[in-house]
Amino acid sequence: MFNKTIIGTMSVILAGLSLAGCTNSEEKQPKPSDKGAAANFNSTGLPVVPTPITLKMMGPDDMQRSWKDLYFFKGMEEKTNVKFEFTTIPSSSYKERKNLAFASNELPDVFFMGGLDANDEMNYGTQGLLIPLDELIEKYAPTIRELLKNNPEIKRSITTPDGHIYALPQVADHPRDRFYRLFINGEWLKNLNITKLPTTTGELYQLLKDFKEKDPNGNGQADEIPLTGSNKLSYLRPILLSYFGHLSDMVEVSGDKARFVPTQPGYKNYLAFMQKLYREKLLDNEIFSQSNPQMIAKGESGKYGVMGNSLPIFGGKDKQIAPANILDNPQMPPLISEGLSKPIVPEKDVIRRGNFAITNVNKHPEATIRWLDYLYSEDGYKLAQYGIEGQSYKWSNTDPKYIEYIVPQGMLENDFKNNKVSNLGYGYANEALERKFLKPDWLGFVLNDQVKPYLPYAQKAFPLTYFKSEEAQRVNAISVDVRTFVEQMEAKIIVGQEPVEKWDEYVSTMNKMGIDELVKINQTAYDRWKSAK
């Protein structure tokens, strides 16, 4: 969830802070383009530069592919005359290499899908290692400028407390990506003649109990696992917490007021419910220890009744791909527990910050911002997702038309897409844009339709805010110990090693760990975000 992500970013080594005292005010300003660069530049139209230029780009990639061979970059070079020398690094070591690039001042010209967290933007932006993009956007990036104008939340979410934008986001505004979901095994529902889905936690409990006791898989063995979730408890937690009135497992905002969730009565009720499910083996008793592949293997063996995952895995792969089979396994409706009048559904943020940034070694910032601006256009999206017409894709002979990949003989379509097309670089996308290019019955559209009943109940736990450096240090200092304590107690209570009845003791311990200060800092950051223009 949002706050878990923010707390993680605060734990990044603040190596750049030590450099701040060594950076004078002149060095903090973005370096202007030289006269030759300024002359070789078109402020509108294509190509971006009359004479080709070459820049250095850094980004993470786990697919062991050559970015220079991707149709996306080939197409971008043809249209813009901007070439790149690529440094791609596996994600497992990317953060370390990224931090080293800043610490050694051996920077690329541009970070692409760069994984820059809020801390990076604040520290390296104020030091001048990342240049502010505000004026460049205003002068040379009409697509980005229009996006920010029409979506004030995006602008607030990428503007740091000093008033600058140091990195651009990727915005994936798809309904299917906004929500955590529970899927129900449709075959088990049919076998038990269950036609009404739960609307309360009490009805959910009864459904799980029926799955446990009534042999829905019909094999005569008590081997059913009623409920599980991917990524251990991290996927189930936000869903189950929402049934008790909460959107986060740390700090959330409710009625414009920040509050610490693990000391709220609803969190206690969540723990008691989860403990009951675990004790009665309605919750997968291996959920804290199993790997994701182990969970998937059990799902493909038909052992799960309800699964928290992006797709329902109830049976072999032949039952996981076709849209019709997806619809055979209904999505859990929003639920409420006793005392709540209406449900809430936690909504994930579609703004992925820190994807694109220009560094102070870049001698062509104007050309670079125009190159980046193209990513946010419809043509840029099409190029990033599908490549070059006639080379990597063609239009179908159907009505309506849709894109078909031109897959080399002997190569799987998925391998072709991953290794030759791209699927990494667009700036903005939504369902309306996808519908211009994809089959009407494409799986993603089915998933979009499934989650639309969630939209009236959707709420975000906390907006994407920035902490000032002194705030970040305090949040980090407090949160490390608090989160460790909260997660340890959650696991101990759920598995029955600690009683829920000691709740007052847990709250007293957390209050002594700086919770009030943590909430106050988050409130300040929220107020700053809300008042930003």
Side-chain angles (χ1 to χ4, degrees), residues 450-465:
Q450 270 193 327
V451 301
K452 284 175 182 176
Y454 284 177
L455 293 175
Y457 309 102
Q459 295 183 39
K460 293 178 181 177
F462 211 94
L464 290 174
T465 61

Side-chain angles (χ1 to χ4, degrees), residues 56-120:
K56 294 181 179 180
M57 174 182 286
M58 176 184 284
D61 191 2
D62 288 323
M63 295 186 184
Q64 296 182 329
R65 58 188 175 181
S66 173
W67 281 16
K68 68 180 177 64
D69 293 332
L70 293 176
Y71 284 101
F72 166 59
F73 288 114
K74 289 180 179 179
M76 288 292 285
E77 182 180 330
E78 289 176 6
K79 290 178 178 294
T80 66
N81 264 349
V82 179
K83 303 179 180 181
F84 287 99
E85 294 177 0
F86 300 104
T87 299
T88 57
I89 302 159
S91 59
S92 59
S93 56
Y94 177 73
K95 182 185 289 188
E96 180 181 353
R97 287 284 300 276
K98 175 195 68 180
N99 290 341
L100 180 61
F102 281 112
S104 63
N105 206 27
E106 295 182 1
L107 293 166
D109 294 295
V110 60
F111 284 98
F112 187 82
M113 301 303 289
L116 301 170
D117 59 37
N119 216 34
D120 293 332

Side-chain angles (χ1 to χ4, degrees), residues 361-476:
V361 302
N362 190 319
K363 295 181 179 180
H364 303 271
E366 296 90 352
T368 307
I369 198 67
R370 288 210 59 219
W371 189 93
L372 291 171
D373 189 62
Y374 192 80
L375 300 181
Y376 290 82
S377 69
E378 181 175 317
D379 286 343
Y381 169 82
K382 183 167 60 175
L383 189 57
Q385 292 292 285
Y386 312 113
I388 302 172
E389 184 173 358
Q391 297 184 40
S392 59
Y393 76 88
K394 63 182 180 180
W395 290 97
S396 66
N397 295 318
T398 59
D399 186 21
K401 294 181 181 295
Y402 57 84
I403 278 179
E404 295 178 330
Y405 289 102
I406 304 173
V407 183
Q409 188 173 1
M411 192 174 192
L412 296 175
E413 180 176 299
N414 199 52
D415 290 339
F416 176 70
K417 288 191 293 185
N418 288 335
N419 293 307
K420 293 297 182 181
V421 181
S422 171
N423 194 31
L424 55 76
Y426 68 84
Y428 174 80
N430 61 13
E431 184 177 12
L433 196 56
E434 288 181 325
R435 288 194 179 276
K436 293 184 177 183
F437 308 119
L438 296 169
K439 292 181 180 181
D441 64 346
W442 180 60
L443 175 60
F445 298 146
V446 174
L447 295 172
N448 285 346
D449 290 340
Q450 270 193 327
V451 301
K452 284 175 182 176
Y454 284 177
L455 293 175
Y457 309 102
Q459 295 183 39
K460 293 178 181 177
F462 211 94
L464 290 174
T465 61
Y466 290 92
F467 295 122
K468 294 182 178 180
S469 59
E470 63 274 14
E471 294 170 341
Q473 292 179 52
R474 288 301 301 151
V475 166
N476 186 50

Side-chain angles (χ1 to χ4, degrees), residues 143-194:
T143 309
I144 298 172
R145 186 172 66 240
E146 191 70 11
L147 176 68
L148 300 183
K149 177 182 176 182
N150 295 335
N151 299 272
E153 183 178 352
I154 297 177
K155 185 175 182 180
R156 287 200 300 264
S157 299
I158 63 173
T159 302
T160 60
D162 66 359
H164 289 304
I165 296 171
Y166 294 108
L168 294 169
Q170 184 180 68
V171 182
D173 193 8
H174 309 123
R176 64 184 180 273
D177 290 337
R178 293 185 186 180
F179 301 104
Y180 301 92
R181 283 173 290 174
L182 291 181
F183 289 100
I184 309 172
N185 190 321
E187 187 175 328
W188 288 16
L189 292 174
K190 183 185 294 185
N191 291 345
L192 298 183
N193 197 29
I194 296 173

Side-chain angles (χ1 to χ4, degrees), residues 2-3 6 247-248 251-253 257-259 347 349 459-465 467 519 521-527:
F2 165 74
N3 291 85
I6 283 293
L247 299 161
S248 169
V251 179
E252 67 183 11
V253 65
K257 296 296 181 184
R259 63 182 179 182
E347 182 179 4
D349 218 303
Q459 295 183 39
K460 293 178 181 177
F462 211 94
L464 290 174
T465 61
F467 295 122
V519 170
I521 294 172
N522 275 272
Q523 183 70 57
T524 299
Y526 174 78
D527 292 341

Side-chain angles (χ1 to χ4, degrees), residues 133-290:
L133 305 178
D134 331 14
E135 291 187 12
L136 290 171
I137 292 171
E138 189 62 31
K139 291 181 179 179
Y140 305 116
T143 309
I144 298 172
R145 186 172 66 240
E146 191 70 11
L147 176 68
L148 300 183
K149 177 182 176 182
N150 295 335
N151 299 272
E153 183 178 352
I154 297 177
K155 185 175 182 180
R156 287 200 300 264
S157 299
I158 63 173
T159 302
T160 60
D162 66 359
H164 289 304
I165 296 171
Y166 294 108
L168 294 169
Q170 184 180 68
V171 182
D173 193 8
H174 309 123
R176 64 184 180 273
D177 290 337
R178 293 185 186 180
F179 301 104
Y180 301 92
R181 283 173 290 174
L182 291 181
F183 289 100
I184 309 172
N185 190 321
E187 187 175 328
W188 288 16
L189 292 174
K190 183 185 294 185
N191 291 345
L192 298 183
N193 197 29
I194 296 173
T195 57
K196 182 179 181 295
L197 299 182
T199 59
T200 68
T201 52
E203 292 173 0
L204 171 62
Y205 169 78
Q206 187 58 53
L207 175 69
L208 299 178
K209 196 170 178 64
D210 288 344
F211 281 171
K212 182 68 179 174
E213 298 175 351
K214 296 184 178 180
D215 192 27
N217 64 11
N219 67 357
Q221 302 177 33
D223 59 349
E224 289 86 356
I225 302 171
L227 173 64
T228 195
S230 63
N231 297 314
K232 301 181 179 177
L233 202 58
S234 64
Y235 198 97
L236 281 185
R237 184 187 294 118
I239 302 172
L240 273 293
L241 263 175
S242 73
Y243 300 163
F244 297 91
H246 294 294
L247 299 161
S248 169
D249 60 343
M250 288 293 281
V251 179
E252 67 183 11
V253 65
S254 177
D256 288 334
K257 296 296 181 184
R259 63 182 179 182
F260 185 70
V261 172
T263 58
Q264 306 298 319
Y267 188 85
K268 177 183 178 182
N269 295 336
Y270 151 78
L271 290 179
F273 183 71
M274 295 294 281
Q275 186 185 73
K276 181 180 180 181
L277 297 185
Y278 189 93
R279 182 175 61 245
E280 298 183 23
K281 292 184 168 52
L282 305 182
L283 173 65
D284 191 342
N285 277 198
E286 295 181 345
I287 194 164
F288 288 106
S289 59
Q290 72 183 357

